[in-house]
Amino acid sequence: MLFARWDHRITPYLFIAPFFVLFLVFGLYPLLRTAWMSLHRWDLLDGPVAFTGAENYTALLADPHFYNALVNTLSIFVVATVPQLLAALGIAALLDRPSRGSTALRAVVLLPNVVPVVAVALVFTQLLGRDQGLVNWALSWFGARPVDWQAHAWSAHLGVAIMVIWRWTGYNALLYLAAMQTVPRQLREAAELDGASRARVFWTVTLPWIRPTVLFTAVVSTIGGLQLFAEPRLFGGTSTGGNDRQFQTLVMYLYENGFDRFDAGYAAAVSWVLFALCAILAFGNAALLRRLVRRG
Amino acid sequence: MRRTSGPLASAALLGVLVASLFPLYWSVVVASHDNAALSRRVPPLLPGAELPANAREVFGAVDFWAALGNSAAVAGIATASNVLLSTMAGFAFARLRFRGRDKLFAVVVTSAMVPAQLGVVPLFELVGDFGWYGELTAVVVPGLVSAFSVFWMRQACRESVPAELVDAARVDGCSVARTYWHVALPALRPHAVVLGMLTFLASWNDFFWPLVVLDPHRTPTVQIALSTLAGGYYTDHPLVLTGAVLGTLPVVLLFALTAKRIVAGLGRGAVGR
């Protein structure tokens, strides 16, 4: 009896304890220590050198390489996300029919998301090669001169965005599809009885219904997009992202400062600015989501 | 009525399938030729015969067996541990009553949204203090259970573990641990397969943290070995893509085996209506 009472009181905490121990040690503590570090001149290997207050942040806000990385990150994010989510909606609409809902079909659509991001980056780097790449070969049919994809900001951003689009469109399409399949039959049929075309049913019934999922994917894509690292890093082979940093993202800049230059304090400041950006964009999206859901 | 599909829709769907599969097909094409074939004016469009030779070269250039073994170990441990710890925590959050439960769960949800890469510099220091720098432990331990897994399993518990059954077990004097083992876990088995698969994939495919903390010569994972292969001044594309094919094959096979459940369970992590 005593054991039972003790058991029902204590055991739930024991069940959740492993998560919280790991979160405190490997999640929360590093995050807070990042803030502390960012207020110091701090060498990655030797530790703190001097307390410098906000110096890292003032330096960062005057650092052209930081703004360059910020603009690149946002540019790639927009080029990757907007077409991706639109295409995902279209694919979900195509699959949202009984005859097309087969598991095999959906598995193929999801397949790119299963492929390691490193492998994705490597095959697209080959496809976009200047001399041997298939894309330039195809462009040459139309008389285009070979594009040196890494050499220009626009083409490098496009190349990296294509990798992201390939890997994530199918995943988002299946999330939309799952949401579309919860649209009540009567709602759709009522609209069809009123003589609405299929396109109209999609815009007036399906899309409003799946709006929460659309906004969820927008939030996830935002957080993921701000953290982009593997694709551009492998596209150029270094964390500078091209000779003129034309495709260096914020996390690559973080990596360059922390692990190429051992300037841990500065890297920590980049981390916190990135964190603030994620928080602002995610909270902004979440507020939007709440408002739209209430309205919908 | 308008349930018939037009030729345009079918063509679009076909395009999607081709786009999904083509880069994988192309990896195999490049991996099965040599550099001379690839630099011809018209690139080869069908697979060639050089794959075995390229594969031998990959295993000679980097310790790919070690990389495969390390990746399998890291991802295998992450899978087993995430399934065990997240079913425990998910069960507690979904079906047990204890003080502070909702607030603690809010911590789980919040932490799932914090990008893990942001604490990477102090994490690197911490792992060094533990003496784990360059060791697989540095990748394994922080990944033992994720907030995503806990969140996901709580949802699965709410769907599949009947509250009445848990309460009945309690009235009958069954301990919490036994209730977990005999009531919750059997009901969660199908979900565990999906979460296990998602965990294995995420762990196998992870790049950033292993790149920071592992020793590419002594403790490479597959992704690190691939980036080493690609890293030289001159990129040998057939070699690199042979490595990519070899490193992708295990996850694609695993996916093929469990695709049915994964596809069905995918919506869970997102917004449930």
Side-chain angles (χ1 to χ4, degrees), chain B residues 9-161:
Chain B
S10 300
L13 209 53
L14 188 68
V16 170
L17 296 184
V18 170
S20 275
L21 293 171
F22 181 76
L24 296 174
Y25 170 76
W26 186 248
S27 305
V28 174
V29 171
V30 175
S32 56
H33 285 280
D34 54 23
N35 261 311
L38 283 168
S39 43
R40 279 190 212 121
R41 273 182 68 87
V42 176
L45 298 175
L46 294 172
E50 300 297 318
L51 190 58
N54 288 337
R56 267 196 300 279
E57 209 182 322
V58 167
F59 283 95
V62 289
D63 195 347
F64 210 74
W65 283 120
L68 285 167
N70 289 340
S71 279
V74 167
I77 294 170
T79 303
S81 142
N82 267 274
V83 166
L84 178 74
L85 298 177
S86 73
T87 46
M88 284 166 61
F91 170 62
F93 279 125
R95 290 290 175 246
L96 300 178
R97 287 176 210 99
F98 55 94
R99 281 183 59 176
R101 182 179 76 174
D102 295 345
K103 282 191 181 118
L104 288 168
F105 187 67
V107 173
V108 175
V109 174
T110 312
S111 72
M113 306 225 279
V114 175
Q117 295 180 349
L118 300 188
V120 66
V121 183
L123 195 57
F124 177 84
E125 265 195 356
L126 185 68
V127 156
D129 292 342
F130 289 160
W132 296 346
Y133 179 71
E135 305 293 331
L136 292 179
T137 330
V139 178
V140 168
V141 176
L144 286 176
V145 63
S146 72
F148 170 80
S149 303
V150 174
F151 175 80
W152 199 89
M153 269 301 174
R154 173 180 173 268
Q155 290 290 105
C157 265
R158 284 160 74 107
E159 276 169 39
S160 304
V161 180

Side-chain angles (χ1 to χ4, degrees), chain A residues 137-158:
Chain A
W137 179 67
L139 286 175
S140 72
W141 303 339
F142 305 101
R145 296 161 60 86
V147 178
D148 189 350
W149 289 86
Q150 279 94 339
H152 320 282
W154 70 268
S155 54
H157 292 193
L158 185 62

Side-chain angles (χ1 to χ4, degrees), chain A residues 126-180:
Chain A
Q126 200 282 336
L127 281 166
L128 297 172
R130 189 189 59 191
D131 302 321
Q132 296 180 7
L134 201 64
V135 173
N136 276 350
W137 179 67
L139 286 175
S140 72
W141 303 339
F142 305 101
R145 296 161 60 86
V147 178
D148 189 350
W149 289 86
Q150 279 94 339
H152 320 282
W154 70 268
S155 54
H157 292 193
L158 185 62
V160 171
I162 288 171
M163 300 177 194
V164 178
I165 289 170
W166 186 73
R167 192 147 183 270
W168 289 100
T169 303
Y171 172 84
N172 286 314
L174 290 196
L175 290 188
Y176 293 159
L177 179 62
M180 281 177 186

Side-chain angles (χ1 to χ4, degrees), chain A residues 3 7-9 11-16 18-20 22-23 25-26 29-31 33-34 37 42-45 47-48 91 94-100 103 105-119 122-127 132 134 137 166-167 171 174-175 178 182 188 192-193 195-198 208-213 216 219 223 227-230 233-234 251 254-255 258-259 264 267-268 271 274-275 278, chain B residues 1-6 9-10 12-13 16-17 19-24 26-27 30 35 38-39 41-43 45 85 88-89 91-93 96-100 104 107-108 111 113-127 130 132 141-142 144-147 150 170 174-177 180 201 204-205 207-208 211-212 223 226-227 230 237 240-241 244 247-248 251-252 255 259-260 262-263 266-267 269-271 273:
Chain A
F3 167 76
D7 178 41
H8 285 277
R9 253 187 205 187
T11 311
Y13 293 107
L14 295 181
F15 272 32
I16 62 171
F19 168 78
F20 280 95
L22 286 167
F23 169 62
V25 176
F26 298 110
Y29 166 76
L31 203 63
R33 193 166 170 84
T34 304
M37 253 181 186
W42 194 300
D43 185 273
L44 186 70
L45 305 176
I91 294 168
L94 281 175
L95 289 171
D96 188 22
R97 275 168 232 187
S99 59
R100 300 222 190 93
T103 304
L105 209 56
R106 292 190 214 179
V108 173
V109 168
L110 187 61
L111 184 61
N113 194 242
V114 171
V115 178
V117 59
V118 173
L122 295 177
V123 68
F124 277 95
T125 302
Q126 200 282 336
L127 281 166
Q132 296 180 7
L134 201 64
W137 179 67
W166 186 73
R167 192 147 183 270
Y171 172 84
L174 290 196
L175 290 188
T182 65
R188 225 184 270 203
E192 283 177 0
L193 276 178
S197 67
R198 190 189 283 146
W209 183 266
I210 67 165
R211 194 158 47 191
T213 307
F216 170 82
V219 172
I223 297 178
Q227 293 190 88
L228 195 67
F229 174 79
R233 154 98 187 192
L234 289 155
V251 173
L254 191 169
Y255 186 98
F259 301 104
S271 297
L274 193 57
F275 179 66
C278 282
Chain B
M1 5 194 277
R2 272 174 303 248
R3 284 289 164 211
T4 51
S5 47
S10 300
L13 209 53
V16 170
L17 296 184
S20 275
L21 293 171
F22 181 76
L24 296 174
W26 186 248
S27 305
V30 175
N35 261 311
L38 283 168
S39 43
R41 273 182 68 87
V42 176
L45 298 175
L85 298 177
M88 284 166 61
F91 170 62
F93 279 125
L96 300 178
R97 287 176 210 99
F98 55 94
R99 281 183 59 176
L104 288 168
V107 173
V108 175
S111 72
M113 306 225 279
V114 175
Q117 295 180 349
L118 300 188
V120 66
V121 183
L123 195 57
F124 177 84
E125 265 195 356
L126 185 68
V127 156
F130 289 160
W132 296 346
V141 176
L144 286 176
V145 63
S146 72
V150 174
R170 180 178 181 166
C174 191
S175 74
V176 174
Y180 161 75
L201 287 175
W204 183 277
N205 294 350
F207 179 60
F208 185 71
L211 179 73
V212 169
Q223 313 310 325
L226 289 179
S227 81
H237 286 296
V240 168
L241 288 187
T248 304
V251 280
V252 169
F255 176 67
K260 201 170 175 178
I262 304 270
V263 167
L266 193 68
V271 181
R273 268 263 184 186

